[in-house]
Amino acid sequence: MKMNKNTIELKNIHSMSEMNFYIPDYQRGYRWSAPEAMQMLNDFKEFCKRKKDEGEFYCLQPIVVKKKSWTKAENNQTATVDGYEVIDGQQRLTTLYILLKCVEQVREILYDMFDMYSIKYETRLEFDSQQFLENINHPTEDANSFIDFYYMKTVYEAMVDWMQKNKEYRNKIVDALLGQDIDDATGIDKANNIRVIWYEVTDEEKATSIDIFTRLNIGKIPLTNAELIKALLLRRGNFSTSEASMRQLQISTEWNQIEQRLQDDSFWYFLCRSSWPFKYDNRIEFVFDLMKSRDLDSEFYFTFNAFNKQLEELSCNPVCTTEQAKIEYIWQEVKHTFQTLEEWYEDRTLYHYIGFLIEYGADINELMKKSKEMNKTNFLTDYIKGNKLKGLMKGIKLSDLNYGDKEVKQVLLLFNILTVLQSNKSDMRFPFSKYKKEKWDIEHISSQTDKRINDDSQRLEWIHDMFEFLVGSTEEDISAYVDNLKKEIQKIESKEKDKNIAKSKVDSKKEELILINRIAVLHSNSQREKINDTEFDECFDAVQKYYGEDKLEDKDNIRNLTLLDAQTNRGYGNAFFPIKRKWIISNDSQGIFVPIATKNVFLKYYTRKGSNLMVWDKTDAEDYVTAMEQTLREYLK
């Protein structure tokens, strides 16, 4: 396993004084435009305006470099230049250079000890970009001779114009760019300045510069916080020579074990709520973000900067007398955080309650703090159930909940989770991964009677579903089905002694026969010509009436709502109860995830008296909401 020997640190701009940079020809030329440069200046301005703590800084994205020597002609002789090949960050580095030239007069007065760094460009050697940059604040006609010169000059002129309009911030921005206040004892920079993440690739790095450049620039994949933190913690200089390889290997192995565990979707989606705003290439970064409380307002490298700052502050901790001690301290915090999450996952009861709370925005750090302060029983009973869950459900009255209320999905999810916990199958778990990945949402059990289907493609889908449900998948099935219905009618008429019962059964079968003929005609016509509006609406109303979809009132109430996936709810969004029931049973028989309460609804599990399995009526709806109230009563008080 390759150890990380790369160097990573935060550099202020002043520390780059007199450095030499080399831009290789595998990179494109300078292409920043005025809007991008203005955004940078406006960000610097906002940083200068706000009140800051000691040592607070503005962080630019990484500059990835590798040590390199090259030659240059000087006084008819060849001289060797020692510096850095810039693998990534050319645009930022060049723009900073232009900005420093733009404020040259102020810079030379306030920071005369700072000498400009140089940038050598390998591309298009007939044009000397380095010389053009060094003289960019002097009028020249060369700007139109080379595309790179044009962009450089455009950005310079835009920056000059910005400085004229924001004169009161010129000196402040120069201070932010070049200020430093290094503490002699700790080496910590206490200045409020602008810094870059300096990522230095060593000669031992197996990947070539071009490989690294390609990885960072094809598709614009930035270095992640996780990658930077790994480089920060595992750099060889953190460890004493005798222990370096072994301890680096141990931490690296533990790091990979954590990442592998988080790649298990059942664990990952238990932790990561649907509305979590960040996406991760490396899921361990989620743990780092939790530890440092990253939020939507945080800049991209907030978490890395927070770990870097913690390393600096540990210099004042008497326990952390060496760099390795600092790393051990931080790594133990990482492991403890992860182990707490893993313990919750392994405990079936905590898994369900905490998984639900996380989905509805519970602060994981607050949960971890309470779990440390309390014993397990009190943590579950008093805090999770008594405090968090009751607080989340406070004020909810089931009978008042309607489609569109944000509490509906919350109630339905909790109802499903508590139903799983009540199951006799002690190993059964609610699969947060399937629930979140398959995007189960709130839908009507009995269809909305006032919602018509007007789109022809959706009408075709509805016709196909009804035809397949009632008759089968082929035209030939119709004759067989109709013949069978007629035989049943004859049998009832000949054998049923009670005339009233016979008439009721026969009428029902005849109604079904009429319905099938309607669907068959509509299905046949739809294959040959445009669907007739009147024919479709009449057929729709007849099917709706036959399955009692027009009987249930107040269909937006929670008594007629459940969790359904998009496929089962069908593309036309108004599938009747028996169609949904068929799909639910089919999915469940194939082992496809169906939330337990949803399955119970369509199997009529909550209905206390026998009823037509193909109809969702008022009694079914009332029994369903009663079951919800009984299951949730502890939290609805």
Side-chain angles (χ1 to χ4, degrees):
M1 186 178 294
K2 179 174 71 65
M3 290 297 96
N4 196 315
K5 299 177 182 178
N6 300 335
T7 300
I8 186 165
E9 60 181 307
L10 286 163
K11 272 189 181 294
N12 60 48
I13 309 303
H14 197 289
S15 67
M16 293 161 60
S17 175
E18 293 188 283
M19 282 186 176
N20 301 303
F21 296 102
Y22 183 90
I23 311 297
D25 61 3
Y26 58 75
Q27 298 191 28
R28 69 172 184 164
Y30 181 71
R31 291 296 182 272
W32 267 32
S33 56
E36 291 163 304
M38 295 306 95
Q39 182 63 56
M40 175 187 275
L41 283 173
N42 287 327
D43 288 346
F44 291 173
K45 176 181 174 180
E46 289 304 311
F47 172 70
C48 292
K49 283 170 64 176
R50 73 169 184 258
K51 185 178 180 181
K52 296 174 281 294
D53 297 327
E54 182 182 74
E56 184 179 346
F57 57 89
Y58 179 91
C59 187
L60 291 168
Q61 291 193 14
I63 292 177
V64 183
V65 297
K66 191 173 186 176
K67 283 183 178 177
K68 180 181 178 66
S69 296
W70 61 95
T71 58
K72 71 172 182 177
E74 189 174 66
N75 300 324
N76 296 322
Q77 292 183 333
T78 300
T80 299
V81 179
D82 294 322
Y84 296 93
E85 174 186 344
V86 178
I87 298 171
D88 190 54
Q90 175 207 167
Q91 308 294 328
R92 290 183 293 282
L93 196 62
T94 302
T95 305
L96 280 173
Y97 188 100
I98 294 171
L99 175 55
L100 290 167
K101 294 295 285 186
C102 181
V103 295
E104 188 170 61
Q105 290 182 337
V106 177
R107 170 174 58 80
E108 290 180 342
I109 293 171
L110 297 179
Y111 294 95
D112 61 325
M113 297 298 290
F114 174 82
D115 291 315
M116 288 290 287
Y117 54 83
S118 69
I119 308 177
K120 171 69 176 175
Y121 298 83
E122 188 181 12
T123 54
R124 302 287 291 273
L125 296 179
E126 65 270 31
F127 298 104
D128 193 338
S129 296
Q130 180 176 351
Q131 185 180 38
F132 183 83
L133 261 185
E134 290 171 354
N135 296 284
I136 197 168
N137 48 352
H138 300 295
T140 176
E141 295 180 0
D142 291 342
N144 296 321
S145 63
F146 182 36
I147 188 65
D148 287 18
F149 295 174
Y150 168 78
Y151 280 103
M152 290 171 180
K153 192 68 175 177
T154 299
V155 166
Y156 175 79
E157 290 172 348
M159 285 183 162
V160 169
D161 182 62
W162 190 94
M163 288 295 176
Q164 286 294 323
K165 295 174 180 176
N166 297 272
K167 290 181 180 179
E168 70 274 26
Y169 287 99
R170 182 179 56 193
N171 288 15
K172 293 177 182 178
I173 286 178
V174 172
D175 280 334
L177 282 168
L178 298 176
Q180 60 177 2
D181 181 14
I182 309 299
D183 185 283
D184 293 334
T186 63
I188 296 174
D189 189 351
K190 296 183 178 180
N192 299 128
N193 52 19
I194 295 164
R195 305 178 196 179
V196 298
I197 298 172
W198 180 267
Y199 191 102
E200 184 177 338
V201 179
T202 64
D203 292 336
E204 290 82 4
E205 172 63 59
K206 290 183 180 179
T208 67
S209 299
I210 296 177
D211 292 335
I212 299 168
F213 173 80
T214 302
R215 175 257 187 270
L216 293 173
N217 287 276
I218 298 302
K220 293 295 181 185
I221 304 170
L223 281 167
T224 64
N225 280 272
E227 289 172 316
L228 294 172
I229 292 167
K230 190 171 188 177
L232 187 69
L233 298 182
L234 293 182
R235 56 190 178 189
R236 180 171 285 273
N238 291 337
F239 301 89
S240 61
T241 305
S242 61
E243 299 176 344
S245 295
M246 181 56 70
R247 190 57 187 130
Q248 280 181 304
L249 178 61
Q250 287 173 341
I251 293 177
S252 182
T253 300
E254 290 168 352
W255 178 295
N256 292 336
Q257 289 171 344
I258 292 173
E259 178 63 33
Q260 186 176 8
R261 189 76 173 96
L262 289 167
Q263 288 298 328
D264 178 355
D265 280 350
S266 63
F267 185 35
W268 174 249
Y269 285 100
F270 153 67
L271 293 173
C272 196
R273 67 176 182 267
S274 302
S275 60
W276 190 259
F278 308 116
K279 306 299 178 187
Y280 300 101
D281 293 322
N282 303 291
R283 289 181 175 177
I284 194 173
E285 192 169 319
F286 171 80
V287 178
F288 299 148
D289 283 347
L290 287 180
M291 291 174 67
K292 300 305 177 186
S293 302
R294 180 186 179 193
D295 59 34
L296 274 175
D297 296 327
S298 304
E299 50 99 3
F300 187 80
Y301 288 112
F302 167 85
T303 302
F304 163 73
N305 293 336
F307 272 97
N308 191 77
K309 185 177 181 181
Q310 183 182 6
L311 268 177
E312 291 181 344
E313 291 172 345
L314 283 173
S315 298
C316 302
N317 188 325
V319 177
C320 300
T321 55
T322 65
E323 288 302 311
Q324 182 168 338
K326 296 177 189 176
I327 301 305
E328 296 287 0
Y329 185 93
I330 290 176
W331 187 241
Q332 289 304 316
E333 281 190 340
V334 173
K335 286 172 60 177
H336 182 74
T337 301
F338 174 75
Q339 286 163 359
T340 300
L341 301 176
E342 197 169 36
E343 286 167 7
W344 291 347
Y345 174 78
E346 295 297 339
D347 185 294
R348 181 173 179 264
T349 304
L350 288 178
Y351 164 83
H352 285 97
Y353 283 114
I354 292 178
F356 173 77
L357 290 174
I358 288 174
E359 178 65 5
Y360 284 94
D363 185 334
I364 300 181
N365 284 315
E366 181 188 336
L367 293 173
M368 283 195 285
K369 180 184 175 184
K370 292 295 182 182
S371 69
K372 291 175 189 175
E373 295 174 351
M374 309 169 76
N375 64 47
K376 184 178 176 180
T377 301
N378 291 340
F379 175 60
L380 175 62
T381 304
D382 298 338
Y383 185 70
I384 296 294
K385 292 182 177 181
N387 184 313
K388 300 301 291 183
L389 265 178
K390 285 185 178 179
L392 195 59
M393 304 298 287
K394 185 178 180 180
I396 292 177
K397 186 177 181 182
L398 290 188
S399 59
D400 292 341
L401 291 181
N402 291 295
Y403 188 85
D405 293 342
K406 62 182 178 62
E407 296 89 355
V408 171
K409 193 172 184 180
Q410 173 182 316
V411 165
L412 292 176
L413 178 58
L414 183 58
F415 179 47
N416 274 276
I417 287 170
L418 294 179
T419 301
V420 170
L421 277 171
Q422 292 170 354
S423 170
N424 293 327
K425 296 181 180 179
S426 59
D427 60 340
M428 185 179 179
R429 284 177 168 236
F430 183 85
F432 289 103
S433 58
K434 293 179 179 180
Y435 170 74
K436 294 175 186 179
K437 287 167 70 177
E438 294 171 13
K439 296 180 171 57
W440 285 72
D441 211 343
I442 309 155
E443 297 297 347
H444 294 79
I445 300 170
S446 178
S447 65
Q448 298 162 278
T449 52
D450 59 343
K451 186 178 180 182
R452 311 301 287 183
I453 304 173
N454 299 313
D455 180 82
D456 274 357
S457 64
Q458 293 181 348
R459 284 177 168 179
L460 279 171
E461 190 177 356
W462 183 88
I463 292 168
H464 174 77
D465 277 345
M466 292 307 307
F467 182 78
E468 184 179 309
F469 173 73
L470 286 168
V471 179
S473 57
T474 65
E475 297 281 355
E476 290 75 18
D477 291 331
I478 297 175
S479 297
Y481 195 90
V482 168
D483 288 344
N484 188 55
L485 265 179
K486 288 178 178 178
K487 288 177 182 177
E488 287 186 30
I489 291 172
Q490 290 175 354
K491 187 176 180 180
I492 293 168
E493 288 176 332
S494 63
K495 293 189 174 183
E496 180 61 60
K497 296 179 180 179
D498 189 313
K499 292 183 179 180
N500 290 328
I501 294 177
K503 183 178 184 306
S504 175
K505 288 182 178 180
V506 167
D507 287 348
S508 177
K509 293 296 179 182
K510 287 181 177 179
E511 190 177 350
E512 186 178 348
L513 195 59
I514 294 170
L515 199 66
I516 288 169
N517 285 327
R518 278 182 178 273
I519 292 289
V521 169
L522 199 60
H523 184 266
S524 178
N525 291 344
S526 68
Q527 309 301 308
R528 302 192 305 270
E529 56 193 42
K530 189 178 185 302
I531 299 170
N532 180 278
D533 292 348
T534 303
E535 281 184 6
F536 179 83
D537 287 344
E538 287 177 351
C539 184
F540 184 90
D541 290 340
V543 175
Q544 188 180 65
K545 183 178 180 181
Y546 181 78
Y547 286 111
E549 300 278 324
D550 60 338
K551 294 178 181 178
L552 188 66
E553 298 177 356
D554 198 10
K555 289 195 174 185
D556 280 343
N557 189 266
I558 196 170
R559 65 184 185 157
N560 189 46
L561 303 175
T562 192
L563 294 174
L564 275 179
D565 64 305
Q567 183 184 21
T568 302
N569 196 48
R570 315 305 289 138
Y572 48 82
N574 206 15
F576 294 157
F577 179 83
I579 298 294
K580 293 174 184 174
R581 183 176 188 273
K582 175 189 173 184
W583 277 88
I584 290 293
I585 293 172
S586 174
N587 286 350
D588 188 57
S589 66
Q590 296 175 58
I592 298 172
F593 167 64
V594 178
I596 187 169
T598 298
K599 182 169 67 174
N600 289 345
V601 161
F602 286 96
L603 294 180
K604 297 290 192 84
Y605 177 86
Y606 302 115
T607 302
R608 287 176 287 188
K609 291 183 180 180
S611 67
N612 187 342
L613 290 177
M614 295 299 151
V615 177
W616 183 257
D617 60 22
K618 182 179 179 182
T619 300
D620 298 314
E622 289 177 350
D623 288 346
Y624 171 49
V625 83
T626 298
M628 265 193 274
E629 287 171 343
Q630 290 173 347
T631 303
L632 300 171
R633 63 181 180 275
E634 180 181 350
Y635 308 106
L636 295 176
K637 292 178 182 177

